[in-house]
Amino acid sequence: MAALPVYPWRLAPDGLATRRQLRAAGLRPGGQDVVAQLERPRRRRTPLTAFLYRVDRAKPVRPMTPAKYAALDRANTARRTCPACRADAGYVIPVSLGMCVPCAYPEAA
């Protein structure tokens, strides 16, 4: 098995892109294999790595369907609903609290 070519940060050749770069261009890897790797050095830690894909083999992003929009809306509503008072908090409930701020700190109100 051949090793992947590794490029330094910001020196990847044209025609290769990360997942985020593909998504920003309205594309997705589309099942293709990783062709290279990008490394960003960090002090006293292991370098950050990102996989690179060929842009010419990338496929367009699939459009959102009405069912996907509905599922996303339900998921976001569940993240905003306080389990203690069952009210929509208007913001995503912090996982660290597990409930809306007024329920977590009733003495402050």
Side-chain angles (χ1 to χ4, degrees), residues 23 61-74:
R23 185 63 181 209
V61 175
R62 293 184 187 119
M64 287 282 283
T65 63
K68 284 185 180 181
Y69 276 117
L72 187 60
D73 186 46
R74 287 192 307 273

Side-chain angles (χ1 to χ4, degrees), residues 5-31:
V6 178
Y7 297 103
W9 185 248
R10 298 183 188 256
L11 293 177
D14 291 336
L16 298 181
T18 63
R19 279 184 179 268
R20 286 188 178 196
Q21 291 169 335
L22 288 175
R23 185 63 181 209
L27 301 170
R28 61 186 169 97

Side-chain angles (χ1 to χ4, degrees), residues 11-86:
L11 293 177
D14 291 336
L16 298 181
T18 63
R19 279 184 179 268
R20 286 188 178 196
Q21 291 169 335
L22 288 175
R23 185 63 181 209
L27 301 170
R28 61 186 169 97
Q32 65 173 302
D33 292 331
V34 174
V35 294
Q37 189 171 336
L38 190 67
E39 283 193 354
R40 178 180 178 196
R42 300 189 298 175
R43 292 183 188 170
R44 298 186 200 111
R45 293 188 282 178
T46 59
L48 291 174
T49 59
F51 295 125
L52 297 172
Y53 301 90
R54 289 182 49 174
V55 176
D56 59 343
R57 288 190 184 170
K59 296 180 180 177
V61 175
R62 293 184 187 119
M64 287 282 283
T65 63
K68 284 185 180 181
Y69 276 117
L72 187 60
D73 186 46
R74 287 192 307 273
N76 285 329
T77 301
R79 293 179 67 198
R80 289 191 315 263
T81 303
C82 175
C85 65
R86 306 301 298 165

